[in-house]
Amino acid sequence: MASEPMASEPMRVLTVNPGSSSLKVSLLDLDDTVLAVESGTGHEMAPMVTDMPKPDAIGVRFVHGGTDFTEPVPIDAKVTEQLRDLADLAPLHQPASLHALSEITGALPGIPAVACFDTAFHTTLPDAAATYALPEQWRQRFTLRRYGFHGLSFSYAVRRTGELLGTIPPRMVVCHLGSGASLCAIAEGRSIDTTMGFTPLEGLVMASRAGSIDPGIPLWLIKHGLSAQDVNSALDRDSGLRGLAGTGDMRRIHELAGERDVNALAALDVYHHRLRACAAAMTASLGGLDALVFTGGIGEHDPSVRMRLAEDLAFLGVSVDPHRNTGVDGDADITSDDASVRTLVVAAREDLEIAAGTRRALAPR
């Protein structure tokens, strides 16, 4: 696992993006042309890169950087140990990223690797948004604060929205909707509020994560005989849409809802109730809304979710054109002609943010 900066840039970068339910590997050329891409649900790296050209550098997505990592950083043994210490704050992601790092550096020895962090985009959160109302000694001892996640996705969505519209809207709410999901309030390109917090459990209803719940519930469950480990596992893996409808697959939930399955219909209602409330809260943090942006697997590919949220936010001036909404293929402006808020769909390209961060981290100082 090398950590020495490269002699020059640009460079060919292999991006490694372990998600909560998937793994994607992309090789980007010097001009960010995608030379090769592999994806899967496992984390065995060697077969995925065997036939790819050799990269100059490797960039690995890490969900949690804590307070130590606010920029991409070359990886060495010390950094790896620090990343391992953060694993219990993102149990669905951090171990997967550490495993992928071990696999890819084993498959490609001697190539420098860089960690790129989802939390880094949210270092601009004001204290009022980042601070939990907890005892000061807890906040100081355990560094309890809202970190925010999906930062690589949000960062790209901001940049791409600026390219599509010719300027970055001053007040944006970006909706990263996938297996994991969160919203971000972005003022002048900077994160000022977000729905995920200390861990990726807070906020929206997700595929298998509960999102925000009364903190008394896990305490009550533990008091009544469940172990802390079982409660934590259930909140991460057996809750959310899976807990409501028996599946975390939104496509399957739509199918079941079409068959009038009561659990699927209820799951959609709960999902959209939380989504509407959080989107309105993000808008309140901004003091208004100029653009609503959808990204992530559901955000990009589910026109019914986009339409329903747009209808829920009509009072803010959001309205989407039905034909544009159903005809999305890649990046698109789906705003209706009479809307005061622009609504866009942006294909998630975390690989581009990882590559850019890797090049910055390895550039000569």
Side-chain angles (χ1 to χ4, degrees):
M1 184 182 309
S3 61
E4 291 299 317
M6 301 292 292
S8 62
E9 63 171 329
M11 61 188 71
R12 181 179 289 176
V13 179
L14 181 72
T15 67
V16 181
N17 187 353
S20 59
S21 61
S22 63
L23 172 68
K24 185 174 182 179
V25 177
S26 299
L27 180 64
L28 303 185
D29 207 351
L30 309 184
D31 60 355
D32 283 337
T33 300
V34 177
L35 298 177
V37 61
E38 293 285 345
S39 60
T41 56
H43 293 117
E44 299 305 317
M45 301 292 300
M48 302 179 77
V49 300
T50 299
D51 296 325
M52 289 185 182
K54 188 175 181 180
D56 301 311
I58 301 165
V60 184
R61 175 198 176 208
F62 279 84
V63 163
H64 218 307
T67 56
D68 291 329
F69 301 114
T70 59
E71 293 286 345
V73 59
I75 300 172
D76 56 20
K78 180 181 178 181
V79 169
T80 301
E81 189 59 33
Q82 289 174 282
L83 295 172
R84 192 172 287 116
D85 290 341
L86 294 168
D88 65 338
L89 299 181
L92 290 184
H93 300 82
Q94 205 85 346
S97 293
L98 287 163
H99 178 74
L101 172 65
S102 176
E103 288 279 319
I104 196 63
T105 52
L108 297 170
I111 296 178
V114 170
C116 299
F117 302 98
D118 272 317
T119 48
F121 183 71
H122 302 291
T123 57
T124 56
L125 286 175
D127 288 343
T131 303
Y132 288 112
L134 295 169
E136 182 180 7
Q137 61 268 33
W138 289 7
R139 288 184 276 115
Q140 296 298 324
R141 179 182 176 186
F142 301 110
T143 323
L144 303 178
R145 54 162 289 152
R146 172 170 281 109
Y147 289 99
F149 301 94
H150 292 129
L152 294 167
S153 176
F154 290 136
S155 179
Y156 176 75
V158 170
R159 180 156 60 91
R160 183 60 178 147
T161 297
E163 292 171 353
L164 293 171
L165 298 182
T167 185
I168 295 174
R171 301 171 300 182
M172 297 174 57
V173 171
V174 178
C175 309
H176 180 101
L177 305 179
S179 295
S182 68
L183 309 183
C184 188
I186 299 167
E188 306 293 347
R190 295 161 62 88
S191 171
I192 66 162
D193 205 353
T194 190
T195 56
M196 283 182 170
F198 181 63
T199 74
L201 261 178
E202 190 176 1
L204 301 172
V205 173
M206 296 170 246
S208 66
R209 279 171 267 173
S212 294
I213 61 170
D214 183 337
I217 291 175
L219 296 175
W220 188 92
L221 292 170
I222 292 169
K223 181 180 178 181
H224 284 76
L226 274 66
S227 70
Q229 181 177 354
D230 286 345
V231 171
N232 184 68
S233 179
L235 292 176
D236 258 327
R237 295 176 170 84
D238 299 315
S239 300
L241 292 173
R242 181 175 295 164
L244 294 168
T247 175
D249 187 334
M250 183 63 84
R251 292 166 297 187
R252 178 58 181 154
I253 291 173
H254 283 310
E255 291 173 358
L256 292 170
E259 298 166 4
R260 309 309 297 169
D261 180 276
V262 293
N263 290 330
L265 291 168
L268 288 174
D269 285 343
V270 172
Y271 180 90
H272 280 281
H273 175 82
R274 181 70 58 79
L275 180 58
R276 175 179 66 237
C278 288
M282 294 297 102
T283 301
S285 292
L286 291 164
L289 186 62
D290 300 304
L292 179 68
V293 180
F294 292 93
T295 191
I298 294 173
E300 295 172 40
H301 303 297
D302 195 324
S304 65
V305 167
R306 296 192 297 262
M307 178 60 75
R308 186 162 173 178
L309 181 59
E311 291 171 346
D312 286 342
L313 300 183
F315 70 100
L316 294 173
V318 178
S319 179
V320 302
D321 181 276
H323 299 294
R324 294 170 187 159
N325 183 45
T326 57
V328 168
D329 182 16
D331 300 338
D333 187 336
I334 60 172
T335 314
S336 66
D337 293 337
D338 59 349
S340 59
V341 173
R342 301 293 288 272
T343 302
L344 287 83
V345 179
V346 172
R349 289 297 307 273
E350 291 161 317
D351 58 329
L352 293 177
E353 292 301 306
I354 294 169
T358 298
R359 293 180 182 120
R360 287 199 308 274
L362 296 178
R365 298 294 191 266

